[in-house]
Amino acid sequence: MFRSVFGTAIGRFLFGTFILLAIVSATVYFIVTPLLSGGCINDLAQCLTQSGWDAGAAEFLTIVLGVMGVATFPLLVTILLIWVERKFAARIQDRVGPNRVGPFGLIQPLADVVKLLGKEDLTPAGADKLVFNTAPVVMVMSVLLIWAVVPFTPYHVGVDLEIGALYFVAVASIGTLSVIMASWASNNKYALLGAFRVVAQLISYEIPLAMALLIPVMLAGSMSMVGIVEAQAGMWFMFVSPIAAFMFFISSQAETGRAPFDLIEAESELVAGFNIEYSGMKFAMFFAGEFMHVFTNGVLMAIMFTGGWWGPFAYEAPLLAVFYLLGKAFFWYLLSLLMRNALPRVRIDQLMAINWKFLVPISIVNLLMTALLLRLIQEGGLSPENASSFVDNIPQTLILLAGNVVLFGIVMTLLRGRARGERMTDMVVREDVELAPATGD
Amino acid sequence: MTFGNFTPEAFAFGIFALITLGGAFGVITNKNLVRGALWLMISLFGVAGIFVLLSAPFLAAVQILVYIGAIGILITFAVMLTRSMTNITQRFNQQWWLGAIVSVALFALLMAAVIVPVWGDVTEPNRNDVADTTDLGVALVSAERVSELDNETSLEGYVLPFEVASLLLTAAMIGAIVIAREDD
Amino acid sequence: MDVINEWAYIGVFFLLAPVLPALPILIGSLLSPSKPNAIKQATYECGVETVGDTWVQFKVQYYIYGLIFLIFDVEMVFLFPWAVAYNQLDFFAFGAGFLFIFLLTDALIYAWRKDALEWT
């Protein structure tokens, strides 16, 4: 058994992932969750009130401490994620990746941070200084704000907003503002050109993102993240509506600018896009903000579609709940890494066509179909009486799954017909071309 | 009006009002139009804060999503589409005194309407009686609904405005495409 | 926590969240050298001098994408409460929602056929 773990690459990889996740979830459980509402921080508030503090001030202090805890966690995880990304990309490209700066290269991201701290902060001539300096801050801020509503365990969440899902979409739309600010403040034609394309991409993909979010909201009957996670007690929403999960995953990849939609950082085309003129820590903030955004989207994918902190013994041992949540988030993050390193970039017109002609119509039809089937299920009395029992959920799941499969089949048939049509026109054109006679070698 | 009860909500209201008015002031006084667009988004963010204080968090999120995320970006695009908008040299036209008189009169009228109880006595709204999003959803698609106050009077549901809104959005999109594509 | 208290948390988050990325930037500006000269601060244009104004005449297509996004955004805002209350309503609710979405799908089909969704 020892050999099967450490002998094969997959074994080492899975073992390393397990250790990593265990360490991170232990850190989160022992350091972050006491600071969330539902943790020991409430006791601190009571303690302070009893020892003479004003009740409002004590509560304010606990809020500030909780916020600091929740907001620092993504920044620290990002440092780890940069290492994971580089190692993973290296292995796919048949090389080793960073392995000099510490055991397995783990200190590499810290070395990068130290290097970027020392770079000179150049502000280009004619740039709008205030907007130039605020843009990276706005971008990172828009990602950090999402973490306020993430439920880590059954008992700990930053704040259980009634409108959690809509809050996520609203805050993510602030990020597009930072792109415009950065590009315009740089006083640079290339930055402006890159930024218009980026903003067009970001706003277009918000539509299928939000429409895919409507399905878990409809199935759970509530927009709050805690409500959505608890409604997946019987069956994860990914199995109930895989098309919505697929839609959310693809849109979230496009929203953060990951390959194959990474025209944002199309290095071969526009040098660096909208952040050409940024150097030093400001550029580091854009860079870290993007990684944080991908991981946050992985966490949200885990919450919305794969059951969040659900797993065996999640209620008795909240540490396991954190482990399950981070494990699922990490799984989606690795999937996005795999997509990034394996798929080629799409062109900008293909990008827009994918969104407006493929994702948006499918999400609309999926929404209507799910709504119709849910209504029929409820009229027919097949809806699960006990929402947390797996067996009760099976009839509803099977019907909705069948609907999804039918929709998938229809879409594939249409696409195949279109592809065949385009290939036919290609072949017709090619018949007219004269082939040059083959001459020797 | 009492100045004795300085609750945190009053404090928050003061801050958000300052953000809204300050942002609006920044919009009209800035010579640089793109900066003016950014000030506008700050002002709209203040409005979202005021929605939260009115116990309407759904509308606050909608304000940020639609106004800042969509309309703000469209305004910035429109500003950048036209050249030489960075420096507006002439900020006041010939009849500025007429505009000033009308604004002051309107302000006085609105202040009177808000402070003087013209439509009956002012009662403190009951914070525990707030409708949440589920009630909103039910009201949006019902033809009639039952009033919460006495569980008997039937009120008009909002399904007709709901559908008319959809028709309005369709008309807006078709009109926008017709106008924007006219020069092709 | 009631509504105002929950949002107090979000308010504090809004105030503190900009501090966290601003701190490394400030530390960076303290630790890094600062010797600006004209060449370093020149705008980047593939290594040559800049030509012409910084304003680029961009395509109307960007604006059309923004408009269509705005329409669908408002549509989604109406659909969120519908989806939340869906389980408690009857078949009439599905019909109302279907009509709502159908009208906007009509608009999308119109845009598609009129080539408003093409990039060029």
Side-chain angles (χ1 to χ4, degrees):
Chain A
M1 190 208 78
F2 202 68
R3 188 182 271 199
S4 71
V5 170
F6 286 109
T8 63
I10 268 264
R12 281 200 300 267
F13 170 70
L14 287 172
F15 183 70
T17 311
F18 182 76
I19 296 285
L20 209 68
L21 280 175
I23 295 177
V24 174
S25 40
T27 317
V28 168
Y29 180 65
F30 289 113
I31 298 184
V32 177
T33 50
L35 296 172
L36 299 172
S37 72
C40 322
I41 199 123
N42 287 340
D43 300 337
L44 176 67
Q46 280 173 357
C47 200
L48 286 176
T49 322
Q50 276 165 4
S51 63
W53 280 50
D54 177 40
E59 202 153 337
F60 185 71
L61 184 67
T62 55
I63 290 182
V64 168
L65 282 175
V67 165
M68 290 307 291
V70 169
T72 327
F73 166 66
L75 285 174
L76 295 177
V77 160
T78 306
I79 294 184
L80 188 63
L81 286 176
I82 295 179
W83 174 80
V84 166
E85 164 117 21
R86 289 174 70 164
K87 274 293 205 187
F88 200 79
R91 286 292 172 175
I92 290 185
Q93 295 163 9
D94 204 16
R95 52 185 176 90
V96 183
N99 64 347
R100 298 226 175 253
V101 195
F104 298 110
L106 277 167
I107 322 264
Q108 178 73 40
L110 283 176
D112 282 340
V113 168
V114 170
K115 175 195 83 168
L116 283 167
L117 272 177
K119 292 267 187 188
E120 178 175 349
D121 240 340
L122 285 171
T123 313
D128 195 345
K129 286 210 175 26
L130 183 64
V131 180
F132 189 77
N133 291 326
T134 326
V137 171
V138 169
M139 193 218 176
V140 175
M141 183 178 95
S142 79
V143 178
L144 283 181
L145 280 170
I146 302 178
W147 285 90
V149 286
V150 167
F152 285 97
T153 73
Y155 315 107
H156 300 102
V157 67
V159 56
D160 179 22
L161 284 182
E162 186 207 0
I163 53 159
L166 190 61
Y167 170 79
F168 155 62
V169 182
V171 164
S173 77
I174 297 184
T176 61
L177 189 60
S178 81
V179 171
I180 291 191
M181 284 168 66
S183 72
W184 176 75
S186 299
N187 199 24
N188 186 331
K189 262 188 283 220
Y190 288 104
L192 215 54
L193 271 176
F196 286 142
R197 298 190 344 175
V198 165
V199 168
Q201 171 183 336
L202 291 180
I203 63 176
S204 300
Y205 277 89
E206 268 180 43
I207 308 282
L209 188 80
M211 285 219 173
L213 270 185
L214 276 176
I215 309 279
V217 166
M218 198 186 283
L219 288 169
S222 130
M223 284 198 274
S224 89
M225 300 272 186
V226 172
I228 291 181
V229 172
E230 283 175 357
Q232 296 184 58
M235 177 75 64
W236 290 354
F237 288 154
M238 192 175 81
F239 301 118
V240 178
S241 178
I243 288 190
F246 171 72
M247 204 104 348
F248 184 80
F249 185 64
I250 300 284
S251 312
S252 67
Q253 295 313 302
E255 273 286 309
T256 53
R258 297 290 272 191
F261 308 109
D262 63 348
L263 276 167
I264 296 185
E265 31 176 69
E267 288 104 13
S268 51
E269 292 177 32
L270 284 176
V271 186
F274 67 93
N275 46 16
I276 290 179
E277 300 282 356
Y278 281 89
S279 59
M281 275 320 272
K282 296 190 197 132
F283 175 74
M285 283 299 121
F286 274 118
F287 191 64
E290 183 194 322
F291 280 101
M292 221 187 312
H293 202 177
V294 183
F295 184 64
T296 310
N297 275 332
V299 167
L300 281 162
M301 183 83 191
I303 290 178
M304 298 279 176
F305 289 102
T306 47
W309 42 254
W310 271 110
F313 303 115
Y315 274 108
E316 290 86 9
L319 173 61
L320 279 180
V322 178
F323 182 71
Y324 293 139
L325 174 68
L326 289 177
K328 292 170 195 171
F330 200 64
F331 168 73
W332 290 112
Y333 181 73
L334 282 184
L335 201 61
S336 100
L337 270 190
L338 197 58
M339 265 175 61
R340 176 188 199 189
N341 285 302
L343 295 176
R345 187 177 297 150
V346 295
R347 287 195 322 255
I348 182 74
D349 59 325
Q350 291 171 336
L351 189 76
M352 289 302 177
I354 288 178
N355 180 51
W356 291 109
K357 302 187 182 175
F358 179 66
L359 286 180
V360 170
I362 289 186
S363 55
I364 291 180
V365 174
N366 185 32
L367 179 67
L368 285 175
M369 179 202 71
T370 309
L372 179 65
L373 286 178
L374 261 184
R375 180 56 49 217
L376 290 177
I377 287 175
Q378 278 179 2
E379 302 278 323
L382 285 171
S383 62
E385 276 148 28
N386 182 9
S388 27
S389 132
F390 178 72
V391 177
D392 272 352
N393 269 303
I394 288 188
Q396 172 176 319
T397 310
L398 283 177
I399 295 181
L400 284 168
L401 200 58
N404 271 310
V405 166
V406 164
L407 180 61
F408 180 70
I410 295 178
V411 167
M412 281 295 130
T413 319
L414 283 174
L415 278 181
R416 199 176 292 157
R418 250 190 98 111
R420 189 171 300 145
E422 285 197 14
R423 252 182 293 141
M424 286 302 171
T425 46
D426 267 352
M427 278 166 60
V428 165
V429 168
R430 228 171 270 151
E431 274 173 21
D432 291 11
V433 172
E434 258 187 29
L435 295 172
T439 53
D441 47 291
Chain B
M1 284 193 292
T2 59
F3 295 106
N5 289 338
F6 194 62
T7 62
E9 280 127 25
F11 186 60
F13 172 71
I15 291 185
F16 282 121
L18 212 65
I19 293 177
T20 312
L21 293 174
F25 192 69
V27 170
I28 55 179
T29 53
N30 221 312
K31 278 194 218 152
N32 190 340
L33 265 192
V34 180
R35 274 214 185 173
L38 291 173
W39 276 114
L40 177 67
M41 298 205 226
I42 292 180
S43 173
L44 292 170
F45 180 73
V47 176
I50 295 187
F51 271 127
V52 168
L53 287 171
L54 288 171
S55 298
F58 177 71
L59 282 176
V62 164
Q63 175 87 6
I64 294 185
L65 176 62
V66 174
Y67 263 106
I68 298 183
I71 297 186
I73 295 197
L74 272 183
I75 291 182
T76 315
F77 272 2
V79 164
M80 288 183 182
L81 179 58
T82 48
R83 284 176 178 271
S84 68
M85 280 292 182
T86 34
N87 259 318
I88 310 209
T89 43
Q90 189 198 20
R91 278 197 279 162
F92 299 103
N93 62 3
Q94 302 292 337
Q95 294 127 337
W96 62 270
W97 51 271
L98 186 60
I101 291 179
V102 171
S103 323
V104 168
L106 184 63
F107 181 67
L109 184 66
L110 286 174
M111 285 290 283
V114 165
I115 298 178
V116 173
V118 193
W119 290 290
D121 271 327
V122 175
T123 52
E124 183 89 19
N126 191 356
R127 274 263 160 70
N128 301 326
D129 224 1
V130 177
D132 58 353
T133 324
T134 318
D135 298 327
L136 178 62
V138 169
L140 267 182
V141 282
S142 318
E144 59 182 35
R145 54 198 175 95
V146 178
S147 156
E148 273 177 7
L149 291 173
D150 47 7
N151 258 348
E152 266 179 20
T153 28
S154 92
L155 303 165
E156 290 276 322
Y158 292 108
V159 70
L160 183 61
F162 184 59
E163 304 298 340
V164 171
S166 150
L167 204 55
L168 187 66
L169 289 171
T170 312
M173 187 144 125
I174 295 180
I177 292 175
V178 164
I179 292 182
R181 288 261 150 183
E182 211 176 47
D183 45 349
D184 276 355
Chain C
M1 292 204 222
D2 62 320
V3 172
I4 304 291
N5 224 350
E6 285 179 357
W7 286 87
Y9 191 94
I10 300 283
V12 174
F13 218 112
F14 258 100
L15 287 174
L16 282 181
V19 171
L20 278 170
L23 264 177
I25 294 181
L26 280 174
I27 296 178
S29 69
L30 287 173
L31 289 177
S32 62
S34 176
K35 297 181 174 54
N37 62 31
I39 297 186
K40 270 203 274 190
Q41 284 186 328
T43 319
Y44 179 79
E45 195 160 332
C46 290
V48 297
E49 300 293 315
T50 59
V51 174
D53 225 357
T54 312
W55 293 104
V56 275
Q57 184 80 14
F58 76 86
K59 304 188 300 205
V60 175
Q61 191 56 39
Y62 292 111
Y63 201 76
I64 296 183
Y65 280 135
L67 275 171
I68 301 182
F69 162 66
L70 177 61
I71 303 288
F72 275 94
D73 214 11
V74 179
E75 170 188 2
M76 259 160 21
V77 158
F78 273 105
L79 284 177
F80 263 98
W82 176 71
V84 168
Y86 191 70
N87 283 331
Q88 307 168 5
L89 298 165
D90 53 354
F91 209 88
F92 182 71
F94 170 71
F98 178 77
L99 186 59
F100 185 84
I101 296 178
F102 177 68
L103 285 171
L104 281 157
T105 315
D106 264 344
L108 180 67
I109 294 177
Y110 176 83
W112 192 333
R113 295 294 293 267
K114 289 287 174 186
D115 284 340
L117 300 174
E118 299 291 321
W119 176 253
T120 50

